Amino acid sequence: MNIDRIKNTSKLDLVTARPDLRRDLHVFVAYVEEREVKRGHRDNALSKTDARRLAKLLSDRDAESEVQEDGNSTWVDSVDRFAQQLGLVHYDMEGIYVGYTSQAPSFPDNYIQVDANAYGKLSAMNLARQEKHLLEAMLEDNQGGGSEFFSTQVLGRLNGFSTWGSGTAVVPMLDFAAIRRFLLDLLARCPTGEWLSVASLVEYLKTDHRYFLIPKKPQLKNKWDKDNGRYGNFRESKHQWGHEIAIKETDADGFERVEGRYVERFLEGIPNLLGYVDVAYGGRNPKDLYPSLGVLKAFRVSERLHRALDGMIAEPTLRVTPSFDVYVQSELYPARLMRELPQFCDLVSEDTTSVFRLDRQKVAAAYAADPKLNVTAFLESLSTEPLPANVQRELSDWSAHSDKFVLYSGCSLLETDGQTAAVERFRVENIAKGIDLVRSPDRLFEELEKEQLAPLRIKHGDKSFSPLPAKTRSAFARKAAVKKKQREPKTKVTLMRIIRVQLLCPDREFLDRLQRLLVDANCTVESDRRNLSLAYSSQYETEVSRAIRALKNEYEVKIDDQ
Amino acid sequence: MKPLDMLSQMCRVVLADTDVKALCKARGLSPQATSSRGILETLFLSPQGVSNVFNSLDRNEVALLHLLKNYESPVGVAFFSRAYGGEHSYGTFNQRYQNVFAKVKKRLVRGGVLLWAEGRQNSWQKQSKMERWRFALPAEFHCHLPALIVSPRRFDGDGNWRPNVVRDKLIADLGCSRKNADDQIFQIEANELQLNGKRIEVAKLIKWQQSGWKKAVQGEKKSSPKDSDSKRPDEAALCILSELADGYWADAEQLTEPLRVFCGKKTESDAVCEAGWDWGLLAKRTTGGKTWYRLAPEQPQVAPHQYLTPNEQDGCVTADLSTIPLQAIEQLAAISDQRVVPARNGKLLLTPNFVKLGRADDKLLADEVVQWLVEHTQPFAEAYIALGERRGKTVLHENVLIARVSDLSLKVAIEKALGINVVSLKNDFVAFPRGLLDDVRRVVKKSGHVVKEVTAK
């Protein structure tokens, strides 16, 4: 197979980085598992709140701004759809017509449910099988009008043919899954790590596999379709919504205009999404026809394609250093490890090689939650090298830490003289002679009453112990006595002191003028016109002095304090 | 709305200058109160002039304020319509109560005896400002209110009352041959005397009397007071008569007007009081062709030997239901088993119940009735001694959490954090109140440990 190399890619727009679909599928399922995610009643879409939260968690950098602007994100919606397509989550897709005159279905209380069984099966597979499973599902999806011919791909830029009439003529006959497999096999035979010409690939297909997409003589059903020929479904135009130009089989460039366009869109579709190829776009000429042709200029096949098709994706490997760092190396997202390691490690960085750090408290908590857990054995089973001696020793110590604080829940405490037979049947643990942890306190109390032991039942407060009756023999008695001695907390009181000053004015005119000046200065005063007095709080002393000073041109003011 | 908040709002926001002037004049407050709202707020609750204002009110207004005294929360303007009348039965709230509001403001607010403030707007229903006005009588003024009954008569003695209403019913029900008859309320179930299926209590017995009185006054129909501020006739009569001083009596005629104000409608005071006497809650006496009423006196104190008789043969005790005080019935039911004595109507046979004795509190065990039983009957004495020996030795603690802490530094940290709210048990176990679990978790986490939970199955 001879396909031209492209040596100078400086003028091309190279797409070599992409969001990680494999990771995001697991993140999406974990998100739905944690929360009750309800889909829109009318549009069956994710709510803006969920979309925003998911955008933050998923790996597409633009998702957050898309949600902010449009209320949804293409990538978030795609992950949601892939999860549903893989059977990892379920929700109603058909809806119900609520009223007699309903024009569209509604989706009341449409909660996303995680299929734990399907997800468990997927997680239990090794990475190679997981990859096959994902690839197969994607190859089988989007037939007919949903194929690359008519729709823009998740990470793609190229537009599609008009879907008008795509349910008739030749398109419904095409087996797109087989076509995609054929093209993937073809790509696998291409040299890896080199930029190859898309036009050259199309040329090769035209020469050697002219009918890889549309059969030479398709079994068309009616005369109209027969008259339109093999390319009857495909029409192009000079403008996006312009006059449609039919593509004839007899046209010299018919293959490039139909099959060539498909190849371009296929390359930017599944192979690009799964990281099997990188793609490079050229500029678009304003005079180009719609849908675009020849915009995707080059592609570069990755080694991953070979390994994925051959089922040779390597399992993740793990290496623990003496500084308690755990290095996880994996070609694809190691979902199982990424779920299990955070139980006893902190995530330091996430990439092809992810770095974790073993944490003492987390290890102890993991042992406390699952006494059968063996962190050392787990790490050793995945590690390429033996665990460092200091790590093994510390892990052993940390496991013992889980037993330092054991909390007994659902129990009551019974204090007896140590000779009560009824305790045996209700005992959870014997603390010491005459002190037992017991279950079913109601039934036990009845038994104790029947045995005529005159038991006392003390319901302690939520935040403090209740006092016990006098002469009670109990370890709690001393604490209750201590509590009695405690002094009542003093009530805190804040007194506000306001010092009021009263000015007695000589006449009503002076009072009015002074009051007016004070009101202008936003000073609160109480005036008593009958007694010719002004009363104000001492905090306004400055304002009052200023007001009196303002009157000094006309009055000689003297203040006589009493 | 708290009274002090109402006072502050009234003095600083609600009252206009004209209102303040009128208020100060009526109460005779100093001129400073007129010019300063702060001083008015301080002086308002003083007793100055309150009695004068109260004495200037008519009887209906006095009855109204006595009724208002019984409510803890402030009332709306509609409450006063029972005294001031004049409200329309049609139109908006403002149209209906405009006249009532004007009178309340003129007579009581400007009289300086009522707190007046604006309540909060309902979130579910928009209310006019007048609907939101709230009024309250300050607790400081209660003692200055004139007597509700004008010129009550003083008589010596308890008069005529029926102390045996409950006991008669008890004897009748227990002597009834047909079990679960329709009107039977007392019965013995599982050796326990019960009232309507529950252990007998004095408070429930009084409630039973009150419900009997209520039914006698209004029949079987459900009560439908005109508004939520009105009282039932029986409740109103109890409230009004409880205002009488010791030794004083009121006749039915004197109750007519207060009852009308309390119930929000005209009520036959004769029939109400007679029914109250019939159910043993009121005492009456007839003098000078008039019947006088007051609340029934307290049940007389009766020594235990007057109604309890020890049986020499089997050690049981017989209780005489015709003389036993109601309080003693409750106490005996709480410590013993009861049986009807065959062929001896009005007698109950008591035997000690150790389980009940074990549940009894120290106050009950020290009571005169229980001590008499212990002193005079062997079974009760034996049970009491056994109880004394066993009580306090078996203790079931609930709402506590137990943990085993095998790290000494962690244990010290927990004890330091919880102080007296942690009990150290033997073998590294500690107990603490359930509500402090979050605090304990915090200490455990801070000290670098984890909580391992063991759940009892």
Side-chain angles (χ1 to χ4, degrees), chain B residues 82-105:
Chain B
R82 69 197 67 222
Y84 294 129
E87 89 274 30
H88 307 298
S89 56
Y90 52 85
T92 64
F93 186 91
N94 286 17
Q95 287 165 343
R96 287 167 64 196
Y97 292 104
Q98 204 160 21
N99 291 338
V100 177
F101 175 69
K103 282 182 184 168
V104 173
K105 195 172 165 187

PDB file of all heavy atoms in Angstrom, chain B residues 82-105:
ATOM      1  N   ARG B  82     -66.026  41.630  70.579  1.00  0.00           N
ATOM      2  CA  ARG B  82     -66.987  41.094  71.544  1.00  0.00           C
ATOM      3  C   ARG B  82     -67.389  42.153  72.572  1.00  0.00           C
ATOM      4  O   ARG B  82     -68.454  42.064  73.159  1.00  0.00           O
ATOM      5  CB  ARG B  82     -66.412  39.852  72.220  1.00  0.00           C
ATOM      6  CG  ARG B  82     -65.269  40.151  73.138  1.00  0.00           C
ATOM      7  CD  ARG B  82     -64.472  38.932  73.475  1.00  0.00           C
ATOM      8  NE  ARG B  82     -63.760  38.407  72.317  1.00  0.00           N
ATOM      9  CZ  ARG B  82     -63.659  37.137  72.023  1.00  0.00           C
ATOM     10  NH1 ARG B  82     -64.209  36.234  72.780  1.00  0.00           N
ATOM     11  NH2 ARG B  82     -63.002  36.752  70.956  1.00  0.00           N
ATOM     12  N   ALA B  83     -66.545  43.151  72.790  1.00  0.00           N
ATOM     13  CA  ALA B  83     -66.900  44.197  73.749  1.00  0.00           C
ATOM     14  C   ALA B  83     -67.386  45.457  73.052  1.00  0.00           C
ATOM     15  O   ALA B  83     -68.285  46.127  73.535  1.00  0.00           O
ATOM     16  CB  ALA B  83     -65.690  44.529  74.614  1.00  0.00           C
ATOM     17  N   TYR B  84     -66.774  45.758  71.916  1.00  0.00           N
ATOM     18  CA  TYR B  84     -67.114  47.016  71.260  1.00  0.00           C
ATOM     19  C   TYR B  84     -68.147  46.848  70.168  1.00  0.00           C
ATOM     20  O   TYR B  84     -68.730  47.820  69.714  1.00  0.00           O
ATOM     21  CB  TYR B  84     -65.848  47.672  70.686  1.00  0.00           C
ATOM     22  CG  TYR B  84     -64.896  48.099  71.770  1.00  0.00           C
ATOM     23  CD1 TYR B  84     -63.563  47.741  71.747  1.00  0.00           C
ATOM     24  CD2 TYR B  84     -65.341  48.852  72.854  1.00  0.00           C
ATOM     25  CE1 TYR B  84     -62.699  48.117  72.757  1.00  0.00           C
ATOM     26  CE2 TYR B  84     -64.481  49.231  73.872  1.00  0.00           C
ATOM     27  CZ  TYR B  84     -63.162  48.861  73.817  1.00  0.00           C
ATOM     28  OH  TYR B  84     -62.319  49.237  74.819  1.00  0.00           O
ATOM     29  N   GLY B  85     -68.379  45.619  69.743  1.00  0.00           N
ATOM     30  CA  GLY B  85     -69.413  45.316  68.736  1.00  0.00           C
ATOM     31  C   GLY B  85     -69.242  46.189  67.513  1.00  0.00           C
ATOM     32  O   GLY B  85     -68.145  46.659  67.198  1.00  0.00           O
ATOM     33  N   GLY B  86     -70.344  46.361  66.785  1.00  0.00           N
ATOM     34  CA  GLY B  86     -70.350  47.312  65.677  1.00  0.00           C
ATOM     35  C   GLY B  86     -69.668  46.830  64.416  1.00  0.00           C
ATOM     36  O   GLY B  86     -69.612  47.539  63.430  1.00  0.00           O
ATOM     37  N   GLU B  87     -69.130  45.604  64.430  1.00  0.00           N
ATOM     38  CA  GLU B  87     -68.473  45.180  63.200  1.00  0.00           C
ATOM     39  C   GLU B  87     -69.518  44.675  62.205  1.00  0.00           C
ATOM     40  O   GLU B  87     -70.553  44.151  62.612  1.00  0.00           O
ATOM     41  CB  GLU B  87     -67.420  44.091  63.485  1.00  0.00           C
ATOM     42  CG  GLU B  87     -67.907  42.668  63.453  1.00  0.00           C
ATOM     43  CD  GLU B  87     -68.477  42.225  64.780  1.00  0.00           C
ATOM     44  OE1 GLU B  87     -69.011  43.079  65.512  1.00  0.00           O
ATOM     45  OE2 GLU B  87     -68.415  41.040  65.052  1.00  0.00           O
ATOM     46  N   HIS B  88     -69.223  44.885  60.941  1.00  0.00           N
ATOM     47  CA  HIS B  88     -70.146  44.399  59.902  1.00  0.00           C
ATOM     48  C   HIS B  88     -69.829  42.934  59.638  1.00  0.00           C
ATOM     49  O   HIS B  88     -68.720  42.483  59.860  1.00  0.00           O
ATOM     50  CB  HIS B  88     -69.951  45.185  58.601  1.00  0.00           C
ATOM     51  CG  HIS B  88     -70.027  46.670  58.791  1.00  0.00           C
ATOM     52  ND1 HIS B  88     -71.164  47.293  59.236  1.00  0.00           N
ATOM     53  CD2 HIS B  88     -69.097  47.641  58.603  1.00  0.00           C
ATOM     54  CE1 HIS B  88     -70.925  48.600  59.310  1.00  0.00           C
ATOM     55  NE2 HIS B  88     -69.674  48.847  58.938  1.00  0.00           N
ATOM     56  N   SER B  89     -70.834  42.239  59.095  1.00  0.00           N
ATOM     57  CA  SER B  89     -70.569  40.846  58.724  1.00  0.00           C
ATOM     58  C   SER B  89     -70.206  40.765  57.249  1.00  0.00           C
ATOM     59  O   SER B  89     -70.115  39.698  56.677  1.00  0.00           O
ATOM     60  CB  SER B  89     -71.804  39.990  59.009  1.00  0.00           C
ATOM     61  OG  SER B  89     -72.901  40.540  58.319  1.00  0.00           O
ATOM     62  N   TYR B  90     -70.055  41.920  56.621  1.00  0.00           N
ATOM     63  CA  TYR B  90     -69.719  41.911  55.197  1.00  0.00           C
ATOM     64  C   TYR B  90     -68.586  42.914  54.981  1.00  0.00           C
ATOM     65  O   TYR B  90     -68.225  43.652  55.902  1.00  0.00           O
ATOM     66  CB  TYR B  90     -70.946  42.303  54.355  1.00  0.00           C
ATOM     67  CG  TYR B  90     -71.581  43.590  54.815  1.00  0.00           C
ATOM     68  CD1 TYR B  90     -71.112  44.824  54.377  1.00  0.00           C
ATOM     69  CD2 TYR B  90     -72.625  43.570  55.731  1.00  0.00           C
ATOM     70  CE1 TYR B  90     -71.660  45.997  54.829  1.00  0.00           C
ATOM     71  CE2 TYR B  90     -73.191  44.742  56.194  1.00  0.00           C
ATOM     72  CZ  TYR B  90     -72.707  45.969  55.741  1.00  0.00           C
ATOM     73  OH  TYR B  90     -73.246  47.146  56.198  1.00  0.00           O
ATOM     74  N   GLY B  91     -68.046  42.931  53.776  1.00  0.00           N
ATOM     75  CA  GLY B  91     -67.004  43.907  53.463  1.00  0.00           C
ATOM     76  C   GLY B  91     -65.616  43.378  53.788  1.00  0.00           C
ATOM     77  O   GLY B  91     -65.456  42.237  54.237  1.00  0.00           O
ATOM     78  N   THR B  92     -64.634  44.208  53.531  1.00  0.00           N
ATOM     79  CA  THR B  92     -63.257  43.803  53.783  1.00  0.00           C
ATOM     80  C   THR B  92     -62.976  43.838  55.282  1.00  0.00           C
ATOM     81  O   THR B  92     -63.791  44.371  56.051  1.00  0.00           O
ATOM     82  CB  THR B  92     -62.280  44.769  53.089  1.00  0.00           C
ATOM     83  OG1 THR B  92     -62.452  46.055  53.679  1.00  0.00           O
ATOM     84  CG2 THR B  92     -62.534  44.855  51.604  1.00  0.00           C
ATOM     85  N   PHE B  93     -61.844  43.299  55.653  1.00  0.00           N
ATOM     86  CA  PHE B  93     -61.481  43.278  57.079  1.00  0.00           C
ATOM     87  C   PHE B  93     -61.463  44.704  57.632  1.00  0.00           C
ATOM     88  O   PHE B  93     -62.008  44.981  58.698  1.00  0.00           O
ATOM     89  CB  PHE B  93     -60.104  42.615  57.235  1.00  0.00           C
ATOM     90  CG  PHE B  93     -59.696  42.416  58.670  1.00  0.00           C
ATOM     91  CD1 PHE B  93     -60.002  41.239  59.332  1.00  0.00           C
ATOM     92  CD2 PHE B  93     -59.018  43.406  59.356  1.00  0.00           C
ATOM     93  CE1 PHE B  93     -59.630  41.057  60.655  1.00  0.00           C
ATOM     94  CE2 PHE B  93     -58.652  43.231  60.677  1.00  0.00           C
ATOM     95  CZ  PHE B  93     -58.957  42.042  61.327  1.00  0.00           C
ATOM     96  N   ASN B  94     -60.876  45.613  56.878  1.00  0.00           N
ATOM     97  CA  ASN B  94     -60.775  46.995  57.345  1.00  0.00           C
ATOM     98  C   ASN B  94     -62.155  47.622  57.534  1.00  0.00           C
ATOM     99  O   ASN B  94     -62.409  48.313  58.510  1.00  0.00           O
ATOM    100  CB  ASN B  94     -59.972  47.838  56.349  1.00  0.00           C
ATOM    101  CG  ASN B  94     -58.504  47.518  56.436  1.00  0.00           C
ATOM    102  OD1 ASN B  94     -58.134  46.490  56.983  1.00  0.00           O
ATOM    103  ND2 ASN B  94     -57.662  48.370  55.904  1.00  0.00           N
ATOM    104  N   GLN B  95     -63.052  47.342  56.563  1.00  0.00           N
ATOM    105  CA  GLN B  95     -64.396  47.906  56.664  1.00  0.00           C
ATOM    106  C   GLN B  95     -65.122  47.331  57.880  1.00  0.00           C
ATOM    107  O   GLN B  95     -65.854  48.030  58.574  1.00  0.00           O
ATOM    108  CB  GLN B  95     -65.189  47.602  55.389  1.00  0.00           C
ATOM    109  CG  GLN B  95     -64.716  48.431  54.198  1.00  0.00           C
ATOM    110  CD  GLN B  95     -65.242  47.890  52.882  1.00  0.00           C
ATOM    111  OE1 GLN B  95     -65.689  46.748  52.800  1.00  0.00           O
ATOM    112  NE2 GLN B  95     -65.175  48.713  51.860  1.00  0.00           N
ATOM    113  N   ARG B  96     -64.905  46.037  58.129  1.00  0.00           N
ATOM    114  CA  ARG B  96     -65.630  45.375  59.220  1.00  0.00           C
ATOM    115  C   ARG B  96     -65.170  45.844  60.590  1.00  0.00           C
ATOM    116  O   ARG B  96     -65.956  45.973  61.511  1.00  0.00           O
ATOM    117  CB  ARG B  96     -65.439  43.855  59.106  1.00  0.00           C
ATOM    118  CG  ARG B  96     -66.237  43.256  57.954  1.00  0.00           C
ATOM    119  CD  ARG B  96     -65.810  41.850  57.673  1.00  0.00           C
ATOM    120  NE  ARG B  96     -66.082  40.972  58.803  1.00  0.00           N
ATOM    121  CZ  ARG B  96     -65.548  39.766  58.954  1.00  0.00           C
ATOM    122  NH1 ARG B  96     -64.707  39.308  58.056  1.00  0.00           N
ATOM    123  NH2 ARG B  96     -65.867  39.040  59.977  1.00  0.00           N
ATOM    124  N   TYR B  97     -63.867  46.082  60.710  1.00  0.00           N
ATOM    125  CA  TYR B  97     -63.344  46.340  62.063  1.00  0.00           C
ATOM    126  C   TYR B  97     -62.839  47.759  62.281  1.00  0.00           C
ATOM    127  O   TYR B  97     -62.182  48.025  63.275  1.00  0.00           O
ATOM    128  CB  TYR B  97     -62.224  45.330  62.366  1.00  0.00           C
ATOM    129  CG  TYR B  97     -62.747  43.919  62.490  1.00  0.00           C
ATOM    130  CD1 TYR B  97     -62.556  43.001  61.479  1.00  0.00           C
ATOM    131  CD2 TYR B  97     -63.460  43.527  63.623  1.00  0.00           C
ATOM    132  CE1 TYR B  97     -63.055  41.715  61.579  1.00  0.00           C
ATOM    133  CE2 TYR B  97     -63.958  42.240  63.721  1.00  0.00           C
ATOM    134  CZ  TYR B  97     -63.754  41.335  62.700  1.00  0.00           C
ATOM    135  OH  TYR B  97     -64.254  40.070  62.813  1.00  0.00           O
ATOM    136  N   GLN B  98     -63.185  48.650  61.348  1.00  0.00           N
ATOM    137  CA  GLN B  98     -62.686  50.029  61.476  1.00  0.00           C
ATOM    138  C   GLN B  98     -63.167  50.679  62.783  1.00  0.00           C
ATOM    139  O   GLN B  98     -62.387  51.296  63.505  1.00  0.00           O
ATOM    140  CB  GLN B  98     -63.169  50.844  60.277  1.00  0.00           C
ATOM    141  CG  GLN B  98     -62.297  52.038  60.004  1.00  0.00           C
ATOM    142  CD  GLN B  98     -62.473  52.540  58.598  1.00  0.00           C
ATOM    143  OE1 GLN B  98     -63.488  52.256  57.967  1.00  0.00           O
ATOM    144  NE2 GLN B  98     -61.507  53.271  58.105  1.00  0.00           N
ATOM    145  N   ASN B  99     -64.455  50.512  63.070  1.00  0.00           N
ATOM    146  CA  ASN B  99     -65.021  51.127  64.283  1.00  0.00           C
ATOM    147  C   ASN B  99     -64.431  50.507  65.539  1.00  0.00           C
ATOM    148  O   ASN B  99     -64.134  51.197  66.518  1.00  0.00           O
ATOM    149  CB  ASN B  99     -66.537  50.944  64.289  1.00  0.00           C
ATOM    150  CG  ASN B  99     -67.168  51.779  63.197  1.00  0.00           C
ATOM    151  OD1 ASN B  99     -66.567  52.751  62.742  1.00  0.00           O
ATOM    152  ND2 ASN B  99     -68.350  51.385  62.754  1.00  0.00           N
ATOM    153  N   VAL B 100     -64.269  49.176  65.511  1.00  0.00           N
ATOM    154  CA  VAL B 100     -63.707  48.480  66.670  1.00  0.00           C
ATOM    155  C   VAL B 100     -62.298  48.998  66.923  1.00  0.00           C
ATOM    156  O   VAL B 100     -61.930  49.331  68.054  1.00  0.00           O
ATOM    157  CB  VAL B 100     -63.678  46.951  66.425  1.00  0.00           C
ATOM    158  CG1 VAL B 100     -63.035  46.233  67.603  1.00  0.00           C
ATOM    159  CG2 VAL B 100     -65.069  46.421  66.177  1.00  0.00           C
ATOM    160  N   PHE B 101     -61.534  49.120  65.838  1.00  0.00           N
ATOM    161  CA  PHE B 101     -60.153  49.582  65.975  1.00  0.00           C
ATOM    162  C   PHE B 101     -60.096  50.988  66.567  1.00  0.00           C
ATOM    163  O   PHE B 101     -59.281  51.294  67.441  1.00  0.00           O
ATOM    164  CB  PHE B 101     -59.466  49.534  64.606  1.00  0.00           C
ATOM    165  CG  PHE B 101     -58.086  50.102  64.612  1.00  0.00           C
ATOM    166  CD1 PHE B 101     -57.057  49.454  65.285  1.00  0.00           C
ATOM    167  CD2 PHE B 101     -57.804  51.305  63.990  1.00  0.00           C
ATOM    168  CE1 PHE B 101     -55.787  49.987  65.319  1.00  0.00           C
ATOM    169  CE2 PHE B 101     -56.536  51.846  64.022  1.00  0.00           C
ATOM    170  CZ  PHE B 101     -55.524  51.175  64.689  1.00  0.00           C
ATOM    171  N   ALA B 102     -61.010  51.849  66.084  1.00  0.00           N
ATOM    172  CA  ALA B 102     -61.023  53.235  66.583  1.00  0.00           C
ATOM    173  C   ALA B 102     -61.274  53.241  68.091  1.00  0.00           C
ATOM    174  O   ALA B 102     -60.635  53.999  68.834  1.00  0.00           O
ATOM    175  CB  ALA B 102     -62.096  54.024  65.850  1.00  0.00           C
ATOM    176  N   LYS B 103     -62.186  52.359  68.547  1.00  0.00           N
ATOM    177  CA  LYS B 103     -62.509  52.336  69.975  1.00  0.00           C
ATOM    178  C   LYS B 103     -61.348  51.766  70.790  1.00  0.00           C
ATOM    179  O   LYS B 103     -61.043  52.258  71.881  1.00  0.00           O
ATOM    180  CB  LYS B 103     -63.774  51.508  70.209  1.00  0.00           C
ATOM    181  CG  LYS B 103     -65.033  52.286  69.858  1.00  0.00           C
ATOM    182  CD  LYS B 103     -66.271  51.483  70.126  1.00  0.00           C
ATOM    183  CE  LYS B 103     -67.494  52.256  69.670  1.00  0.00           C
ATOM    184  NZ  LYS B 103     -68.689  51.434  69.635  1.00  0.00           N
ATOM    185  N   VAL B 104     -60.711  50.727  70.256  1.00  0.00           N
ATOM    186  CA  VAL B 104     -59.563  50.134  70.962  1.00  0.00           C
ATOM    187  C   VAL B 104     -58.474  51.181  71.128  1.00  0.00           C
ATOM    188  O   VAL B 104     -57.893  51.351  72.201  1.00  0.00           O
ATOM    189  CB  VAL B 104     -59.005  48.915  70.189  1.00  0.00           C
ATOM    190  CG1 VAL B 104     -57.716  48.407  70.822  1.00  0.00           C
ATOM    191  CG2 VAL B 104     -60.018  47.796  70.134  1.00  0.00           C
ATOM    192  N   LYS B 105     -58.251  51.919  70.064  1.00  0.00           N
ATOM    193  CA  LYS B 105     -57.195  52.925  70.093  1.00  0.00           C
ATOM    194  C   LYS B 105     -57.534  54.028  71.091  1.00  0.00           C
ATOM    195  O   LYS B 105     -56.691  54.447  71.898  1.00  0.00           O
ATOM    196  CB  LYS B 105     -57.034  53.502  68.683  1.00  0.00           C
ATOM    197  CG  LYS B 105     -55.768  54.286  68.485  1.00  0.00           C
ATOM    198  CD  LYS B 105     -55.618  54.645  67.032  1.00  0.00           C
ATOM    199  CE  LYS B 105     -54.576  55.717  66.878  1.00  0.00           C
ATOM    200  NZ  LYS B 105     -54.493  56.217  65.514  1.00  0.00           N
TER     201      LYS B 105
END
